[in-house]
Amino acid sequence: MAKQDDVEDASQPALQVIVLGSGGGPQEHNVTAFLVRSVRSGWTRGSIVALDAGVHLSAITRILEETQPPGLGVDVALPHVLASGPFAGMEVHSTSASSNAAHVTRHLIDTYLITHPHLDHISGFVINTAGLPGTRPKRIAGLPSTISAFKTHIFNNVIWPNLSDENNGAGLVTYTRLVEGGSPALGEGEGKGYLEISDDLAVKVFSVSHGHCMERHTHRGSSASSRFGSVDVSSLLSPRGPQVGNAASGPSSLFRPSSGGHPSTGQERESVCVYDSSAYFIRDAVSGREVLMFGDVEPDSISLSPRNHGVWQEAAPRIASGNLAAIFIECSYDDSQTDDRLFGHLTPRYIIQEMKVLAAEVELVRQSPAKLEPNKKRKRELGEAIRRANRVIARSGGDDGPVSPKSIRPRRNSDSASIPSEHGYDSPHIATPTAELSLKDFEASAVPSSVPKRSPDPLKGLKVVIIHVKEKLNDGELAGDTILSELLEHEKEAELGCNFIVSKMGQSLLL
């Protein structure tokens, strides 16, 4: 794949993101859905990739209704190339917006990247697929846990007919199970690990946490989609990001003991259960420009399965090089929402907290641009450190019940306070592991990062696009306006340099 300097003018947009749905409910016509394409590909067959599809065909139709010229087919001859709107440059062949929208869905969109299988992210795709069969199946791509959910709970001939090409289905949908963190066998150089999903677009996916579930079961959790071992040793070796002392931060139920504060035994042991979501790096194969798009996600600082930090470490060198143009991240509530009512989502105070972690990683990359591969001696040292860490963790097991991977054991003594470090509060120790660490996992988390010297506006120029805003449906200020004003106030204090944008239905961003 070509490098950035292969582009004649790096200031020219390489990617377009069309916002079909910007909200997180409760209005069903505006839920999470995006279209992404490489600008250089034009509007060719299969050139558009959908990321989530809570709403889909109806949103495309609405955009075309608002942007098609009046008198199309009468005063304006067909075929006609649209001159304005998100679909500017696309040739249409019909007078009706519905027919042209059906053409987009049938012929221009082949792949649907799904962040997680909640209804507000998939319902449009599920309903549209049966009604608009094409000449080749639509591809659902996601983590294995996401694909499993579609097979078991959606295309199961109960909730919806089995439209897939598995288990004697209709063959309208095919599944692509993505490797978390990218497959090392794919790509070269900066494109290593990326899977090509259209002529000019490639993706890499990471799992993130979307909160916890209180049910007693063992089939949920990050082990379903992780390539690595089921232990996160970062809480043993380095502190997590700073806690936010906002007045709205009420006591969180996430760390309460599951059995009234008393350890349980035998069949009554509870497993911590987390909802998996995803974050996608979507890369223009020619220019190297990328966007990072999150599904629903919660802050690492209160998560039972914190994984955002790994995404920020992956994003940092791309920001430092200028290749990561935008981050699309949810902010479902304003800062009045207390921690125990977040339900696996973010608020402005936590957006800023996560951006501070990202900024620190970017500073580290800028101060150490040459990343040296560990030599054989270093690999042996890391391998021995992994074995020592696993022995220590195994000895700390005791009578704890089985836990979900990377989850944090609640403190047994609720009166005991965390000892603050220079980075914030130390994380609670993890529970007994169910598998050993991989070298890559340990290498990423075992060596504490040094605190970089802070430069002004470390994320200057980075677009942070807010998605999944939940409207309150009252006579007060719009939720998105409140969230934006709070983000700007936090930004004044943090001085990160981010450009915050609250997404809107029908919006087009050229990046």
Side-chain angles (χ1 to χ4, degrees):
M1 294 183 180
K3 294 183 178 180
Q4 179 69 35
D5 54 10
D6 290 335
V7 180
E8 293 183 3
D9 185 354
S11 66
Q12 293 298 311
L15 295 165
Q16 181 187 18
V17 178
I18 300 174
V19 182
L20 299 183
S22 63
Q27 293 182 320
E28 64 275 11
H29 75 283
N30 183 24
V31 287
T32 308
F34 303 92
L35 302 179
V36 185
R37 73 180 183 101
S38 168
V39 174
R40 66 177 281 112
S41 294
W43 301 96
T44 56
R45 184 178 179 89
S47 61
I48 302 175
V49 173
L51 185 127
D52 285 340
V55 64
H56 192 62
L57 181 62
S58 62
I60 298 172
T61 303
R62 188 180 303 113
I63 291 172
L64 290 173
E65 286 174 343
E66 295 172 353
T67 56
Q68 287 186 177
L72 188 61
V74 180
D75 300 323
V76 179
L78 290 172
H80 173 75
V81 177
L82 297 177
S84 62
F87 293 98
M90 185 180 75
E91 186 175 86
V92 295
H93 296 262
S94 300
T95 59
S96 77
S98 296
S99 177
N100 291 326
H103 171 79
V104 171
T105 298
R106 276 197 185 102
H107 301 292
L108 304 190
I109 305 170
D110 278 346
T111 301
Y112 292 75
L113 303 174
I114 304 299
T115 62
H116 65 294
H118 284 174
L119 287 176
D120 58 325
H121 295 255
I122 67 170
S123 57
F125 169 79
V126 172
I127 293 170
N128 296 160
T129 302
L132 292 171
T135 57
R136 53 189 181 189
K138 297 300 184 185
R139 174 167 60 173
I140 296 178
L143 292 170
S145 58
T146 298
I147 302 303
S148 177
F150 268 96
K151 289 188 63 176
T152 305
H153 303 295
I154 303 297
F155 296 133
N156 61 358
N157 290 319
V158 178
I159 298 299
W160 205 252
N162 180 10
L163 303 180
S164 78
D165 56 2
E166 298 183 12
N167 301 332
N168 299 312
L172 299 181
V173 174
T174 189
Y175 297 124
T176 297
R177 295 160 178 83
L178 301 178
V179 177
E180 182 178 0
S183 172
L186 297 176
E188 295 178 354
E190 294 180 357
K192 185 175 182 179
Y194 283 76
L195 174 69
E196 188 174 301
I197 53 173
S198 72
D199 286 344
D200 289 313
L201 290 179
V203 300
K204 184 185 288 189
V205 65
F206 290 83
S207 70
V208 293
S209 177
H210 180 24
H212 76 302
C213 174
M214 297 305 295
E215 293 184 32
R216 298 185 184 185
H217 49 191
T218 58
H219 67 282
R220 299 284 295 278
S222 59
S223 62
S225 59
S226 177
R227 294 172 52 211
F228 310 121
S230 61
V231 183
D232 181 356
V233 297
S234 59
S235 59
L236 288 177
L237 297 161
S238 62
R240 205 181 307 133
Q243 302 286 338
V244 175
N246 189 287
S249 301
S252 173
S253 62
L254 295 175
F255 296 103
R256 282 203 297 265
S258 59
S259 303
H262 302 288
S264 58
T265 58
Q267 298 297 320
E268 295 183 2
R269 290 175 177 169
E270 267 189 309
S271 294
V272 176
C273 168
V274 297
Y275 293 109
D276 276 341
S277 184
S278 311
Y280 283 92
F281 288 90
I282 304 178
R283 185 174 193 265
D284 177 68
V286 175
S287 69
R289 200 163 306 169
E290 300 187 42
V291 291
L292 170 57
M293 305 184 76
F294 280 84
D296 296 355
V297 62
E298 65 178 349
D300 267 359
S301 58
I302 62 172
S303 176
L304 290 173
S305 182
R307 285 167 273 172
N308 298 341
H309 191 201
V311 179
W312 301 140
Q313 288 176 320
E314 188 78 12
R318 292 158 172 76
I319 294 173
S321 66
N323 284 337
L324 185 61
I327 296 173
F328 289 71
I329 190 167
E330 70 123 288
C331 190
S332 296
Y333 306 107
D334 62 43
D335 276 337
S336 67
Q337 196 84 354
T338 57
D339 288 356
D340 59 339
R341 300 291 300 276
L342 289 182
F343 309 114
H345 294 293
L346 293 172
T347 62
R349 64 184 181 271
Y350 284 123
I351 289 281
I352 293 296
Q353 184 185 89
E354 293 290 339
M355 290 300 104
K356 286 180 179 179
V357 176
L358 172 59
E361 292 297 330
V362 172
E363 293 281 24
L364 283 173
V365 170
R366 285 175 176 154
Q367 293 176 23
S368 304
K371 182 179 179 182
L372 301 177
E373 291 293 327
N375 55 31
K376 293 182 178 180
K377 180 180 178 182
R378 177 61 177 157
K379 288 182 177 179
R380 286 197 302 270
E381 290 173 351
L382 285 171
E384 179 58 30
I386 291 172
R387 290 188 288 274
R388 288 198 303 270
N390 280 319
R391 287 196 295 269
V392 170
I393 295 169
R395 288 196 296 270
S396 66
D399 60 354
D400 286 4
V403 296
S404 180
K406 299 187 180 179
S407 58
I408 300 170
R409 178 194 297 146
R411 295 189 183 277
R412 294 188 177 180
N413 183 359
S414 59
D415 296 329
S416 62
S418 298
I419 301 174
S421 70
E422 59 180 334
H423 301 283
Y425 288 92
D426 287 337
S427 304
H429 290 293
I430 62 170
T432 306
T434 56
E436 292 199 345
L437 298 166
S438 71
L439 179 61
K440 184 175 179 180
D441 242 3
F442 187 84
E443 191 172 351
S445 60
V447 182
S449 299
S450 59
V451 180
K453 182 180 179 181
R454 173 69 186 271
S455 61
D457 299 332
L459 301 180
K460 185 176 181 179
L462 177 67
K463 292 181 175 65
V464 180
V465 183
I466 301 302
I467 63 177
H468 203 269
V469 172
K470 293 180 178 289
E471 290 294 342
K472 295 183 177 180
L473 304 183
N474 56 27
D475 292 332
E477 185 179 39
L478 292 176
D481 293 341
T482 303
I483 286 170
L484 181 58
S485 63
E486 290 177 349
L487 283 169
L488 294 177
E489 283 299 313
H490 291 313
E491 166 64 24
K492 285 181 182 178
E493 181 179 351
E495 296 182 337
L496 298 172
C498 299
N499 178 17
F500 291 104
I501 301 168
V502 176
S503 61
K504 305 289 184 185
M505 279 191 304
Q507 190 174 28
S508 172
L509 294 100
L510 290 168
L511 304 163

